[in-house]
Structure formats: C-alpha cells, structure tokens
Amino acid sequence: MLIKKIIGNTITTLMLIVFLVVVVAVVVSKASGGEPAFFGYQIKTVLSGSMEPGIHTGSIIALKPGGDMTRFQKGDVITFMNPENILITHRIVDASMNSAIGEASYTTKGDNNNAADMSPVSSTNVIGEYTGFTVPYVGYAMNFAVSKAGSVLLMIVPGLLLLMYALYSTWKAITALEKKNSSPAAAEPLPDTLH
C-alpha cells in the first residue's frame, strides 16, 4: 500500500512538473510573439474532435516541424494549413508524388470522420508531423493562459497571493511579539545585601 502511494505521488508530481514546464514554455513563447515551442517541437492545441479517440479535443500535441515535407506516407499524422488558414491535424490515407514540380499531394482524414477531407493537401502546406505526444485537456488551460484575460489573471493572482502571504506572515510575527511582551516578566531575585 505504501509503495502504491509513493508511485502515485511520484507520477502525479512528474505530470505536474511536465504540465508547468509546457505551460511556461507556451506562455513565454506567446509573450515574445513566437510559436509555442519546446526543445525544437511546436506545441499546438487541438480544438476539434476529428482525431478522437487518439487525440482528444482540448489536448496539446507536439509537432516536429521542418524537414522534407514530401517524405510522408499513408498512415502518418500531419498538421497542415487548409485554404482558410486554419491548422488541421489529420492522418494521411493516400500519398502521391508529382516529380515534375517536386511536390507531394496528400489525401487526409480525421480518425473520427466518416469521409476523407475534400481537398488534397500540398506538401507546401504541411507544417509538421505529429510526434505521438499528447496531453489531454491541457489545451483548454493553455488557450486561456495566452488570452488577454488569462495573462492578466496569471500576473495578478500570484501577486495577490504573495501579498496576502506577506500580510499574514507580518500579522503572525506581530502577534507573537505582542504575546511575548505582554507575558508577566519572570520575577527577578532580590539582592542579598541590605542597606
């Protein structure tokens, strides 16, 4: 039972550390105006359920950007920009190469969708490859954290908590000092000499 508790606490602590590191990386990246990145991987939030159950709505995923975008095969999961400039992460169900122009064309489909996407994806529109790393539901918190309201809240709340802790510590110290000063002084022994 004790070993089970230690393992559970260790896993919880590790997950919390990973979550905090990823959130800090995303917030710092967004604050500096860049894409959220972590050790060379881009972090994206999944906003639809088209890839469930493998990738849940509200999850964050890690993408490996760059490289030869014509290298992908049937079964690979890629993130691409659609004609409406929306990022989509779907699985390749068919791949073909046009050697004349040096571009590949991918037919994609969400795992949870009934049919393939209507338009094929050009390799020039591929952003990166899904690495298989996903953390469910963290995307909701990260989207809030990088919003204006979230950024303000993440700056104000810790400051207020720090201020409240400082006031509480000061009050506690003053109370202890007053208690010490108001306690009756120990009776001092009278001197042995008489005048």
Side-chain angles (χ1 to χ4, degrees):
M1 192 70 162
L2 179 62
I3 293 173
K4 200 179 209 181
K5 186 175 180 181
I6 290 171
I7 291 171
N9 287 342
T10 303
I11 291 172
T12 302
T13 303
L14 288 174
M15 290 300 291
L16 182 61
I17 290 169
V18 167
F19 170 74
L20 290 174
V21 167
V22 169
V23 167
V24 166
V26 169
V27 170
V28 168
S29 296
K30 284 287 192 179
S32 65
E35 283 292 319
F38 191 66
F39 293 117
Y41 293 92
Q42 287 185 2
I43 307 298
K44 301 290 184 191
T45 303
V46 177
L47 301 176
S48 78
S50 66
M51 287 298 287
E52 288 188 3
I55 305 173
H56 294 284
T57 306
S59 299
I60 59 168
I61 61 172
L63 303 177
K64 184 66 177 169
D68 178 17
M69 295 303 178
T70 63
R71 73 185 186 275
F72 302 115
Q73 304 294 320
K74 181 178 178 179
D76 291 339
V77 178
I78 58 171
T79 298
F80 57 92
M81 188 74 70
N82 77 356
E84 290 84 33
N85 290 328
I86 298 171
L87 286 178
I88 297 176
T89 300
H90 280 174
R91 189 175 306 279
I92 296 172
V93 293
D94 188 38
S96 60
M97 183 69 182
N98 184 339
S99 354
I101 60 172
E103 287 182 18
S105 179
Y106 304 114
T107 303
T108 56
K109 175 185 174 296
D111 291 351
N112 198 29
N113 294 350
N114 294 328
D117 299 334
M118 294 178 69
S119 303
V121 177
S122 168
S123 56
T124 58
N125 292 334
V126 177
I127 304 299
E129 181 179 15
Y130 170 58
T131 62
F133 176 81
T134 181
V135 181
Y137 311 115
V138 173
Y140 293 126
M142 288 178 54
N143 272 356
F144 177 72
V146 297
S147 69
K148 282 187 177 181
S151 297
V152 168
L153 191 65
L154 287 174
M155 289 179 178
I156 291 175
V157 169
L160 287 176
L161 290 175
L162 190 59
L163 179 64
M164 287 170 47
Y165 178 73
L167 290 173
Y168 171 74
S169 296
T170 304
W171 173 77
K172 197 171 172 184
I174 290 172
T175 304
L177 190 60
E178 285 177 350
K179 188 175 181 182
K180 182 179 175 185
N181 288 339
S182 67
S183 66
E188 294 182 23
L190 295 172
D192 288 337
T193 57
L194 295 173
H195 294 284

